[in-house]
């Protein structure tokens, strides 16, 4: 009798039913953790590739393209560009631009003025993120024919306390998140490292050219002095011979 009572105990059935959603919740949580780990793994892989590009590439453009596309794809932006601040400091020289298939008249423009959000990012040295760009004051500063911008993220490349360049990302569906900003800052760090390395290599090459030029001049001076010395020796011998004959 006791066994039949246990089999039909309503409390026991209720306990079994209550376990079912708990198991389902655990499974859902497990899948969420797996998805999160997969995202982090891809994020780490992208950053490793960016870091290696910054360290191994001798040409900044080569490293910049690798890092830029990894960054753009990872944060979900559909367009963007990288530019370097001009020598005059009032414009950006576009290194390359990815319009993401949008119609844009500035694809063929090599230099754009520094103003609006770009000016703010370069002046502050901080990331600027605007998810409501059409409603912002900066929207009115876009030149005619510029591609439509729904949202933008601008990150200055700081070298010795000054903005030496900038990376711009735009048009992510749903807008950029705080995590996107954190990831983009890391990639901007790789770009800054690549830019510093490129500038250092260029300076070293210029120094080498100067040393080669100075070495050439020293060799010319040495040749000239040797000719003068040999001429003086020849004249001295002639005088000695003349004195001996006299």
């Amino acid at each position: 009798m006791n066994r039949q009572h246990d089999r039909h105990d309503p409390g026991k059935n209720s306990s079994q039913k209550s376990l079912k959603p708990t198991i389902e919740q655990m499974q859902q949580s497990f899948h969420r953790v797996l998805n999160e780990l997969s995202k982090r793994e891809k994020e780490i892989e992208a950053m490793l590739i960016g870091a290696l590009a910054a360290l191994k590439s001798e040409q900044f453009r080569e490293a910049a393209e690798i890092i830029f596309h990894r960054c753009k794809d990872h944060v979900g932006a559909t367009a963007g560009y990288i530019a370097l601040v001009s020598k005059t400091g009032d414009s950006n020289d576009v290194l390359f631009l990815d319009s993401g298939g949008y119609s844009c008249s500035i694809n063929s423009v090599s230099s754009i003025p520094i103003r609006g959000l770009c000016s703010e990012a370069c002046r502050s040295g901080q990331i600027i993120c605007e998810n409501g760009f059409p409603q912002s004051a900066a929207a009115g500063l876009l030149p005619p024919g510029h591609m439509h911008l729904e949202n933008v993220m601008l990150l200055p490349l700081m070298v010795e306390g000054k903005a030496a360049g900038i990376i711009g990302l735009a048009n992510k569906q749903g807008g950029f998140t705080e995590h996107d900003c954190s990831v983009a800052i890391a990639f901007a760090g790789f770009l800054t490292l690549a830019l510093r390395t490129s500038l250092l290599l260029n300076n070293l090459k210029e120094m080498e050219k100067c040393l080669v030029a100075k070495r050439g001049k020293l060799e010319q001076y040495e040749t000239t002095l040797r000719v003068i010395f040999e001429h003086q020796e020849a004249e001295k011998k002639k005088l000695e011979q003349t004195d001996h004959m006299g």
Side-chain angles (χ1 to χ4, degrees):
M1 293 292 291
N2 289 336
R3 292 180 181 177
Q4 288 181 347
H5 178 73
D6 291 339
R7 188 180 298 122
H8 299 288
D9 186 356
K12 186 175 182 180
N13 291 336
S14 175
S15 176
Q16 288 175 343
K17 289 180 180 179
S18 65
L19 285 174
K20 188 174 181 180
T22 303
I23 294 174
E24 289 178 354
Q25 290 173 2
M26 290 175 64
Q27 289 175 336
Q28 291 173 359
S29 297
F30 179 71
H31 287 303
R32 282 197 297 269
V33 170
L34 284 180
N35 289 334
E36 190 66 23
L37 287 174
S38 177
K39 289 180 182 178
R40 291 293 174 264
E41 183 180 2
K42 291 178 181 178
E43 184 176 299
I44 292 171
E45 180 185 1
M47 288 190 177
L48 283 174
I49 292 173
L52 288 173
L55 293 171
K56 290 186 175 182
S57 300
E58 294 186 1
Q59 298 297 325
F60 175 68
R61 184 185 180 89
E62 178 184 354
E65 288 198 39
I66 294 172
I67 298 170
F68 169 80
H69 287 296
R70 288 286 173 176
C71 179
K72 181 178 78 73
D73 294 343
H74 197 75
V75 302
T78 58
Y81 73 97
I82 288 182
L84 299 178
V85 176
S86 65
K87 292 181 179 179
T88 57
D90 58 355
S91 63
N92 280 325
D93 296 330
V94 179
L95 191 63
F96 63 86
L97 183 146
D98 180 356
S99 64
Y102 294 92
S103 176
C104 186
S105 63
I106 67 169
N107 282 340
S108 58
V109 176
S110 60
S111 182
I112 53 177
I114 298 177
R115 57 186 180 183
L117 296 180
C118 182
S119 175
E120 184 179 344
C122 289
R123 184 177 63 255
S124 67
Q126 302 295 322
I127 180 175
I128 300 293
C129 185
E130 177 58 76
N131 279 324
F133 187 81
Q135 292 77 39
S136 69
L141 298 175
L142 294 180
H146 194 286
M147 62 183 286
H148 173 73
L149 296 177
E150 191 64 31
N151 45 63
V152 297
M153 184 192 297
L154 297 166
L155 303 103
L157 308 179
M158 306 299 291
V159 176
E160 295 181 357
K162 295 182 180 179
I166 194 163
I167 173 173
L169 301 168
N171 294 346
K172 175 182 179 176
Q173 186 175 3
F176 296 106
T177 65
E178 288 186 10
H179 182 69
D180 293 333
C181 292
S182 298
V183 171
I185 288 172
F187 279 104
F190 298 146
L191 275 170
T192 300
L193 175 60
L195 181 56
R196 286 174 181 269
T197 303
S198 177
L199 292 173
L200 178 60
L201 288 175
N202 288 337
N203 289 337
L204 289 174
K205 288 178 181 179
E206 289 298 320
M207 290 176 62
E208 184 180 12
K209 287 181 181 178
C210 290
L211 288 174
V212 169
K214 289 180 179 180
R215 185 186 304 159
K217 288 183 178 180
L218 287 174
E219 290 176 351
Q220 290 178 357
Y221 293 151
E222 184 181 358
T223 301
T224 301
L225 289 173
R226 185 170 59 251
V227 170
I228 293 172
F229 178 75
E230 291 175 351
H231 178 73
Q232 289 177 339
E233 286 294 316
E235 290 297 320
K236 183 179 179 181
K237 288 182 179 179
K238 286 181 181 180
L239 289 173
E240 291 177 350
Q241 290 176 356
T242 302
D243 292 341
H244 180 72
M245 291 177 62

